[in-house]
Amino acid sequence: MNPTLIDLFEICNHDDYYHNADKVSYKFIEDGDTLYIYFEPSNGKIDWLHNFMFKKKPYKDMKMPYRVHKGFLKCWKTIEDVVIHKINECDDTSNEKLWKKIIIVGYSHGGALAVLCHECCWYHRPDIRDNIKTIAFEGPRVYGAFRVKKKLRERWKNFRMLRNSTDIVTHLPPVIFGYTHVGSVIKINNKNKIHFIQNHTREAVKESLQSYPHNEDWETALFE
């Protein structure tokens, strides 16, 4: 049985992550030929320090250059090679790639890392691009421009950022600083309660997910 949005959110908040030397937290969960990649929400002062840095090109020799939030990029670079190795794992006997589908999930700071992870998976697994899908709960803006270049939008076609009403984190960094969201932003609470900070809490997000009409059939409703 496929997990619901609440299931994904709950798993994302379990304290069973691998923490690398740079205090970036992630975990892989394998389910048949589906690989789930989870990124933990902000954990400690170092995450928030990274959150206030500026823009940088993610790769050197880019045919189509763009910039992203420098702090989130710095965190991502510490686990990029691990992720690339994992998504390209092969069967020992047939030498075929193990993963036919990749689901990426992140919350808050983890939602920012999910932006960069999604693009990485899209680039390194062109054979399953339609089966790479991301749910970012309450993530900040990462792409360093007022809008995503038209030729780059395909990379985040299956990226969904879920916003709980007026959650302030989803509005940071501010648009006036030249940042925007990638993929699609979907509001999971239409009550429009003006609680900019409270709407970001785990309890508030879970409450909104419980009443969200597409909780059970999220993959069909949000991606098709």
Side-chain angles (χ1 to χ4, degrees):
M1 184 176 178
N2 292 329
T4 65
L5 284 173
I6 293 177
D7 292 333
L8 295 179
F9 186 68
E10 292 280 45
I11 295 170
C12 191
N13 283 291
H14 288 171
D15 189 21
D16 55 354
Y17 285 87
Y18 174 77
H19 308 280
N20 69 8
D22 296 280
K23 298 185 180 180
V24 177
S25 309
Y26 63 94
K27 61 184 171 185
F28 302 118
I29 296 180
E30 304 172 4
D31 182 12
D33 59 5
T34 299
L35 175 66
Y36 290 85
I37 305 175
Y38 287 88
F39 295 102
E40 190 177 29
S42 296
N43 183 14
K45 294 180 180 179
I46 190 167
D47 280 348
W48 291 108
L49 175 63
H50 288 157
N51 290 356
F52 288 99
M53 293 183 185
F54 296 96
K55 304 172 189 175
K56 188 176 182 180
K57 288 171 60 176
Y59 306 102
K60 291 183 178 179
D61 299 322
M62 299 171 66
K63 294 182 179 179
M64 201 174 302
Y66 62 92
R67 293 179 181 274
V68 297
H69 190 288
K70 183 179 178 181
F72 299 133
L73 178 63
K74 180 180 178 181
C75 292
W76 165 247
K77 285 298 184 180
T78 68
I79 59 172
E80 181 182 30
D81 289 344
V82 174
V83 171
I84 292 173
H85 175 78
K86 184 66 180 180
I87 66 175
N88 282 296
E89 285 182 332
C90 293
D91 182 87
D92 291 335
T93 55
S94 65
N95 206 35
E96 291 184 0
K97 296 287 178 69
L98 289 177
W99 315 117
K100 308 302 181 187
K101 185 176 183 180
I102 298 173
I103 303 293
I104 304 161
V105 183
Y107 170 34
S108 190
H109 180 272
L113 295 183
V115 172
L116 300 167
C117 181
H118 184 99
E119 197 271 346
C120 176
C121 292
W122 182 92
Y123 182 85
H124 288 279
R125 286 300 306 271
D127 55 316
I128 59 167
R129 282 176 177 170
D130 287 340
N131 286 327
I132 299 172
K133 300 175 182 179
T134 297
I135 293 291
F137 297 101
E138 316 303 305
R141 298 182 177 109
V142 177
Y143 189 91
F146 289 106
R147 64 181 62 186
V148 180
K149 293 180 180 180
K150 188 175 182 180
K151 292 183 179 180
L152 290 172
R153 292 174 192 167
E154 177 70 15
R155 302 189 181 198
W156 289 282
K157 181 182 71 173
N158 286 330
F159 184 97
R160 302 290 183 268
M161 202 285 290
L162 272 57
R163 169 185 285 162
N164 186 30
S165 190
T166 54
D167 178 7
I168 192 170
V169 172
T170 64
H171 294 279
L172 298 173
V175 172
I176 59 172
F177 287 1
Y179 286 93
T180 191
H181 285 294
V182 299
S184 299
V185 177
I186 298 171
K187 209 169 188 179
I188 59 173
N189 181 347
N190 292 315
K191 296 179 181 179
N192 293 315
K193 293 181 179 179
I194 310 300
H195 298 303
F196 298 107
I197 298 176
Q198 182 180 337
N199 283 327
H200 189 72
T201 64
R202 297 180 184 181
E203 295 77 12
V205 176
K206 186 175 180 180
E207 181 182 351
S208 294
L209 287 173
Q210 288 171 336
S211 59
Y212 184 61
H214 299 306
N215 176 47
E216 299 287 341
D217 61 338
W218 63 272
E219 195 164 357
T220 299
L222 302 184
F223 292 97
E224 295 182 3

